[in-house]
Amino acid sequence: MLRRCLAAGALALVAGTFAANADPIPAEEFAKFPYVSSVSMSLEGDMLVGVVADPSKDGKARAAAYWDLSGPIDTSKPLVPTAITPTSGKSMFFAAAALKDKKSLWFTVQPYIGALMGCGEGKDTGSTKKYLQKAYMGNEKITKIDDLPDGRAEIGANKAMLRCFELVGETSIASLLPLDPTKVIIARQSTKNGTSYFEHDLSNSHEKFLYKASDTESIVIDDRDGSQIARVKLEFEDGAWRQIIRLLDPQTGEFVREEPLTTEVENRYVMDVAGRQNGTGKYFIFTDKFSDKTEVFLYDPATHTFSDQPVLAHPDYDVGGIIFSNRAKDFGEVLGFSYEGPVSTTYWIDPEMKSIQEGLDAAFPGKEVSLSSYNADRSRVLFVVQAADMPPAWFLLVDKAKVAAIGSLRPWIDQKSLGKGEFIHYAARDGLEIPAFVTFPAGWKDGDKARGAIVLPHGGPWARDDGGWDDSGWTQYFASRDYIVLQPQYRGSSGWGHKLWLAGDGEWGQKMQDDNDDAAAWLVSQGYVDADKIAIHGYSYGGFAAIAASVRPNSPFQCAVAGAGVSNLTKLGHNWGESRIARIIQGHTVDGMDPMQNTDKVNIPIMLYHGDYDVRVPIFNSRDFYNAIKNKEPESEFFVMQQMGHQGNKWLPEHKLQMLTEMDKFLTTTCGM
């Protein structure tokens, strides 16, 4: 490695490298808890809730915040929370949802060590370190944030089922029932017991059990009255797994199997029921069966046929969702739809909403403006503004004329130190076009050459990046240190069309990895960086990609950094994902080059970091790989992140601070950049 460092240093003397125009952003500014996050508005538009950095603890903890909007709103200054409720004990607020009738739902995580009794991810015997997630109901001005009922109203509930839900269950709002002043439908999902649905009365906390779906089944609910309109289930028949959709026959009350909506899981076509069209009895169906991109068709159960053409589509990107009106006078009418371009973008059909969007776009040029919620007369519109070089900030549009600031995710970051983002495509070695996002250092201009570059493959792998703010801190932290960061949407990524998605099947560490190597080659071909100044870093599946890069021959990378990465495909096998559905759909695609079978081929140093509370990717993956290669690449490193879980809502400020500072040190010293 000394030879590598000397060579890199010599090149720096003769190459014209990029001169920084701003000071590097301290790691602490990405590490500490967000100032404001997870802001939402009630259906009536009379309150906001969100999670804030607790002012009583100098921002070193998180708290629940409530903004009362029932009176006049002074838009001349930022809105100040009416009430703040600190987290108690070991629980940590991480998300909130404003409902209606002055009520709100709050989500927390807390560390746990104990037996799981076979419930969810973790050890079947002995103790597991993990985080438990819980949901609580808040009242007006959050004077109380109480436990929800535990599901005893469910027919057949027993102690084992309730204990399983307590350990690994998740609570969510299945429907706000906008036409009912106090009732909502709550879903409680448990890995082993499927999902149960309850009618919850916000006025008195009473619950009524409605219906249940198995662990391979989902239910589509009519927001008008909470009834079931479709049931979707994975079933094994004739030697294959199939997704079977049954639609409600209003004449008989029975659910009838619709053969044109049946798909074989192996083909992995999208086939989702989005709701019913007003007055026709037809269904809105999301599918990519007729095109590479997901489109929306109307399906007529009376004739068992699709519309000849999609009713909602984009020529280049998947349709991501339909926005229906939830007010009484035009309930269920389509207001617009979103499509998954470089950022998720809404196309408004409704003239009033389109006018509001266009006005706000003009007020924030070059930024992504998302209308997140609004009341019936649109006199209150909550919206979010962000960009690759702007942390999300929440605002309230009042009476379609005035704007009040609510708060920013990270207001302390100097945006002059942030780099611009760009969406590009590059050609893989086999000709496949790969989408990608590039973050440049602040002040970058054509002809500059970066200090170094980092290829940053996302997790998943069935996921994607977008061109908005990256709160992990990875892109902008390193861009402020004069690195270029490239995020390849490698084959196997979802949200970019059917072809790219399926192209990753069985290609872990192989063609999927070629796409990361080809991203490095593209950076060099553009003159952005020298070939010996490129590293790879990833987390989760991205961590697998970094581990795989360290044992592949002819690596374009000087070094690798792997966070919570899978290293052992043999052990992973068909246990991929915590749910049976995930294993059925995705399990057979997890195949390719197994890094643990190739540790003798390690040829670049690697830094591994892993949380000891991670049950999604157990820590043995990093530990075993490090033990196998540490004598062959002695400059490699392994860090155990104490009490860190897999997802970002289970990371503490000290975790982010450690990962950023140790990565920086590793890239600068060991990697020679």
Side-chain angles (χ1 to χ4, degrees):
M1 185 61 198
L2 179 61
R3 176 186 57 78
R4 281 195 197 112
C5 288
L6 289 173
L11 280 170
L13 293 175
V14 298
T17 55
F18 171 68
N21 289 334
D23 292 332
I25 301 173
E28 290 81 1
E29 295 193 10
F30 291 101
K32 57 187 177 181
F33 285 126
Y35 181 68
V36 177
S37 64
S38 190
V39 181
S40 64
M41 185 171 71
S42 63
L43 199 62
E44 303 93 337
D46 60 355
M47 69 169 190
L48 300 172
V49 297
V51 179
V52 299
D54 189 345
S56 69
K57 298 180 180 177
D58 196 27
K60 295 179 180 178
R62 305 186 83 173
Y66 183 105
W67 290 261
D68 187 352
L69 305 180
S70 58
I73 297 174
D74 182 0
T75 60
S76 66
K77 55 187 178 182
L79 299 181
V80 176
T82 310
I84 292 179
T85 299
T87 301
S88 61
K90 295 182 178 180
S91 294
M92 297 180 290
F93 289 116
F94 73 90
L99 305 177
K100 57 187 179 184
D101 192 38
K102 307 288 188 182
K103 303 302 191 301
S104 49
L105 202 59
W106 298 87
F107 299 92
T108 69
V109 291
Q110 66 181 63
Y112 169 83
I113 302 176
L116 294 181
M117 301 175 294
C119 301
E121 296 173 301
K123 299 176 183 177
D124 288 334
T125 59
S127 291
T128 295
K129 293 180 179 180
K130 68 170 298 175
Y131 277 85
L132 304 184
Q133 183 170 313
K134 289 197 69 175
Y136 299 86
M137 188 68 73
N139 68 347
E140 183 176 0
K141 298 183 182 178
I142 52 175
T143 58
K144 290 183 179 179
I145 299 180
D146 289 337
D147 279 326
L148 282 159
D150 58 15
R152 285 189 173 87
E154 179 183 350
I155 297 171
N158 55 47
K159 288 184 178 180
M161 182 183 297
L162 295 174
R163 180 59 173 161
C164 235
F165 178 78
E166 180 183 355
L167 292 171
V168 299
E170 294 189 5
T171 298
S172 61
I173 297 294
S175 176
L176 268 177
L177 298 180
L179 300 181
D180 189 298
T182 63
K183 293 185 176 64
V184 297
I185 294 180
I186 285 180
R188 292 192 175 90
Q189 181 179 14
S190 179
T191 304
K192 285 194 169 183
N193 301 308
T195 304
S196 298
Y197 297 83
F198 302 83
E199 181 187 84
H200 182 99
D201 192 329
L202 297 171
S203 66
N204 55 26
S205 297
H206 292 168
E207 285 197 350
K208 179 175 71 175
F209 173 71
L210 296 177
Y211 27 79
K212 183 174 181 177
S214 71
D215 63 344
T216 57
E217 190 175 22
S218 61
I219 292 173
V220 182
I221 293 172
D222 189 337
D223 288 329
R224 187 180 297 274
D225 58 11
S227 62
Q228 305 174 71
I229 59 172
R231 296 184 75 100
V232 184
K233 190 173 184 179
L234 296 181
E235 297 182 15
F236 191 78
E237 60 179 23
D238 299 328
W241 282 99
R242 291 184 171 86
Q243 178 184 279
I244 296 168
I245 295 179
R246 294 176 173 86
L247 302 179
L248 179 68
D249 183 337
Q251 304 300 322
T252 65
E254 300 293 325
F255 286 91
V256 179
R257 174 170 173 165
E258 296 291 333
E259 290 303 333
L261 302 183
T262 297
T263 57
E264 290 201 11
V265 168
E266 186 175 0
N267 297 326
R268 293 214 311 283
Y269 288 121
V270 172
M271 192 67 73
D272 293 332
V273 180
R276 285 188 295 197
Q277 186 181 43
N278 281 350
T280 68
K282 296 178 182 179
Y283 287 75
F284 291 102
I285 304 292
F286 284 83
T287 186
D288 57 4
K289 189 172 183 178
F290 311 115
S291 167
D292 182 57
K293 303 298 186 287
T294 299
E295 303 168 323
V296 178
F297 289 79
L298 279 175
Y299 181 79
D300 189 345
T303 60
H304 310 289
T305 57
F306 287 95
S307 55
D308 292 337
Q309 298 294 326
V311 293
L312 301 172
H314 189 282
D316 301 316
Y317 303 114
D318 291 343
V319 175
I322 303 177
I323 303 164
F324 296 101
S325 174
N326 57 24
R327 57 186 182 179
K329 71 176 185 178
D330 57 356
F331 190 88
E333 291 299 313
V334 176
L335 301 180
F337 69 95
S338 61
Y339 59 89
E340 304 304 312
V343 296
S344 181
T345 303
T346 299
Y347 179 88
W348 293 103
I349 298 169
D350 179 79
E352 185 179 24
M353 295 304 296
K354 182 178 181 181
S355 175
I356 292 171
Q357 180 76 60
E358 290 174 347
L360 293 175
D361 287 343
F364 296 92
K367 307 301 182 186
E368 176 193 348
V369 180
S370 303
L371 312 186
S372 62
S373 51
Y374 35 87
N375 60 351
D377 64 4
R378 284 92 186 251
S379 61
R380 307 278 171 84
V381 178
L382 177 68
F383 66 97
V384 189
V385 182
Q386 64 168 307
D389 59 349
M390 177 185 173
W394 285 264
F395 299 87
L396 186 69
L397 178 65
V398 181
D399 298 328
K400 305 175 189 175
K402 298 174 288 184
V403 172
I406 297 166
S408 169
L409 192 81
R410 298 186 177 277
W412 45 76
I413 289 181
D414 179 5
Q415 293 186 34
K416 297 187 186 69
S417 298
L418 299 175
K420 296 292 184 182
E422 185 177 325
F423 178 61
I424 60 104
H425 285 83
Y426 65 89
R429 63 193 64 182
D430 61 0
L432 186 64
E433 285 289 306
I434 307 297
F437 297 93
V438 184
T439 304
F440 294 96
W444 177 270
K445 60 185 183 298
D446 288 344
D448 287 338
K449 183 167 285 190
R451 162 194 181 181
I454 301 170
V455 173
L456 179 60
H458 59 73
W462 285 10
R464 55 161 285 172
D465 295 305
D466 65 38
W469 177 256
D470 173 22
D471 194 47
S472 70
W474 296 326
T475 57
Q476 291 291 355
Y477 177 76
F478 286 105
S480 81
R481 282 156 177 74
D482 307 329
Y483 293 93
I484 284 181
V485 182
L486 189 150
Q487 297 167 275
Q489 308 306 289
Y490 51 81
R491 68 196 71 204
S493 300
S494 60
W496 299 104
H498 197 75
K499 178 182 177 182
L500 187 72
W501 184 26
L502 267 64
D505 287 4
E507 293 292 346
W508 286 48
Q510 297 174 158
K511 289 182 179 179
M512 293 168 78
Q513 200 70 26
D514 290 345
D515 295 343
N516 298 323
D517 291 1
D518 294 341
W522 181 85
L523 287 166
V524 175
S525 73
Q526 301 301 302
Y528 290 156
V529 69
D530 291 327
D532 62 347
K533 296 287 186 69
I534 307 175
I536 184 171
H537 166 236
Y539 189 86
S540 194
Y541 172 84
F544 166 86
I547 291 171
S550 73
V551 299
R552 295 213 335 160
N554 305 313
S555 174
F557 305 110
Q558 285 290 103
C559 63
V561 178
V566 172
S567 68
N568 195 320
L569 287 189
T570 304
K571 282 190 177 182
L572 182 67
H574 289 279
N575 291 321
W576 179 255
E578 66 172 317
S579 71
R580 190 176 170 207
I581 290 178
R583 292 191 289 273
I584 291 170
I585 294 176
Q586 191 175 9
H588 70 285
T589 74
V590 181
D591 198 7
M593 188 273 289
D594 189 337
M596 277 305 296
Q597 304 301 316
N598 292 276
T599 54
D600 59 314
K601 299 181 178 67
V602 66
N603 57 82
I604 58 173
I606 183 169
M607 172 187 147
L608 303 113
Y609 64 94
H610 213 125
D612 65 347
Y613 274 57
D614 191 336
V615 292
R616 178 63 51 84
V617 180
I619 197 170
F620 72 75
N621 281 276
S622 291
R623 181 180 288 116
D624 290 356
F625 186 81
Y626 175 72
N627 288 335
I629 60 94
K630 63 183 179 182
N631 293 328
K632 302 179 182 69
E633 274 289 349
E635 290 177 296
S636 296
E637 301 176 20
F638 172 45
F639 295 95
V640 177
M641 313 290 274
Q642 302 293 332
Q643 210 174 94
M644 186 174 96
H646 192 75
Q647 293 92 345
N649 62 357
K650 302 174 179 69
W651 297 356
L652 299 173
E654 53 263 38
H655 298 144
K656 293 185 74 172
L657 182 63
Q658 183 181 4
M659 70 173 69
L660 291 173
T661 53
E662 293 296 347
M663 275 195 280
D664 192 15
K665 187 190 307 180
F666 183 77
L667 292 172
T668 302
T669 56
T670 304
C671 203
M673 296 205 290

